[in-house]
Amino acid sequence: MRKPFIAGNWKMNTDRRGAVGLATGLAQELRDIETVDIAVCPPFVYLDAVAGALNSSNIALGAQDVYFEPNGAFTGEISCAMLKDVGCTYAIVGHSERRHKIGETDELINKKISAAISSGLLPILCVGELLEQRQADKTEAVVTTQIKAGLAGLHSDKVLAVTVAYEPVWAIGTGVTATAEQAQEVHAMIRGLLADMYDQSVAGQIRIQYGGSAKPANTAELMACGDVDGLLVGGASLKVDDFAAMIKTVA
Ligand code: PEP
């Protein structure tokens, strides 16, 4: 049985005060939730402050990215050890905004996934097709390539550390959500792919989140799909009431 996992991606939003306030409000609102794994991913510079606000709560801390090298001359980058040092459990890797706006490649994403797992971080590997790729019937091909490349070289004992987030790019931050049928179709395809790459047992244990304009109003419908194990939430994770309502719906 896969425990639902809901994570909030705050992107490049909040300031120190807002980040601490959001974390404090969520910790208070969600203190009784035991049946859902919860994480928030603030901007790097507020991780430490948010870690303090989440102290001894049931909400884990995640980063929005990580670099694969352990240390050295990599100006602007943040290592796995640094993230662990400030209390991170998770790291988002390969978010579509990093793939398409910053230019991250599958090869780089694979290095980040491997480094995160080796250091004990739990990576959330984001995959998903652009609108034109969906319209050209390329969703399966695109997502398959991203997953095979992202997980290249990882054996089954390591891959169990990964959460996959299926995030159709056309649904991220647009207010357009994939229908439950569209989400389930791709999630089931991803699980089948993981079974081919590893085995049924591994595929049955890996959690697959949906992301793309998830909000309180569509949470129940998305989470009712057999292969949707959680949500990666952007905009709606910036409001205590909305994010808490989604988690309570799932719980
Ligand atoms: C995201 O940032 O991963 C995301 C899904 O954003 P939104 O919920 O705002 O579409």
Side-chain angles (χ1 to χ4, degrees):
M1 198 49 193
R2 297 178 295 271
K3 187 174 181 185
F5 175 27
I6 312 288
N9 173 15
W10 295 359
K11 311 196 190 195
M12 200 170 73
N13 292 301
T14 69
D15 54 16
R16 175 185 290 270
R17 197 172 170 180
V20 169
L22 185 50
T24 306
L26 289 170
Q28 171 72 16
E29 257 319 292
L30 298 171
R31 63 190 182 284
D32 296 328
I33 305 288
E34 290 172 358
T35 53
V36 181
D37 284 339
I38 310 165
V40 292
C41 305
F44 284 132
V45 290
Y46 304 131
L47 283 170
D48 209 16
V50 169
L54 295 178
N55 188 25
S56 68
S57 79
N58 52 353
I59 304 177
L61 190 65
Q64 297 175 20
D65 186 27
V66 65
Y67 199 57
F68 65 90
E69 293 284 3
N71 56 265
F74 303 100
T75 302
E77 297 296 345
I78 306 287
S79 73
C80 299
M82 290 170 183
L83 294 182
K84 292 200 73 188
D85 197 26
V86 293
C88 285
T89 302
Y90 298 97
I92 296 172
V93 177
H95 192 279
S96 68
E97 286 148 18
R98 298 206 61 84
R99 290 178 186 266
H100 300 296
K101 294 183 182 172
I102 315 277
E104 289 201 4
T105 62
D106 281 321
E107 191 191 13
L108 174 61
I109 290 163
N110 176 244
K111 287 181 181 166
K112 292 182 175 190
I113 294 277
S114 291
I117 296 172
S118 298
S119 76
L121 283 171
L122 303 176
I124 300 173
L125 169 63
C126 299
V127 298
E129 80 286 2
L130 297 161
L131 181 59
E132 55 265 35
Q133 293 168 330
R134 173 162 283 263
Q135 287 169 338
D137 250 344
K138 290 190 176 145
T139 299
E140 179 167 352
V142 169
V143 171
T144 298
T145 300
Q146 290 173 336
I147 290 192
K148 282 191 170 168
L151 301 180
L154 282 183
H155 291 289
S156 43
D157 54 330
K158 294 262 167 85
V159 82
L160 289 173
V162 176
T163 296
V164 175
Y166 168 58
E167 301 205 299
V169 181
W170 46 271
I172 297 181
T174 58
V176 179
T177 316
T179 64
E181 292 72 28
Q182 286 171 321
Q184 171 58 27
E185 188 183 14
V186 181
H187 282 231
M189 184 277 287
I190 292 172
R191 205 173 304 285
L193 175 63
L194 293 170
D196 289 346
M197 291 169 65
Y198 298 96
D199 58 38
Q200 291 286 356
S201 161
V202 167
Q205 292 175 69
I206 292 181
R207 293 185 290 196
I208 308 174
Q209 295 175 319
Y210 166 80
S213 299
K215 49 187 179 263
N218 55 30
T219 294
E221 196 188 357
L222 288 163
M223 289 299 297
C225 300
D227 289 293
V228 177
D229 307 314
L231 302 168
L232 182 54
V233 186
S237 72
L238 292 168
K239 291 188 192 132
V240 172
D241 288 353
D242 284 354
F243 195 55
M246 294 170 83
I247 288 158
K248 287 177 184 173
T249 298
V250 176

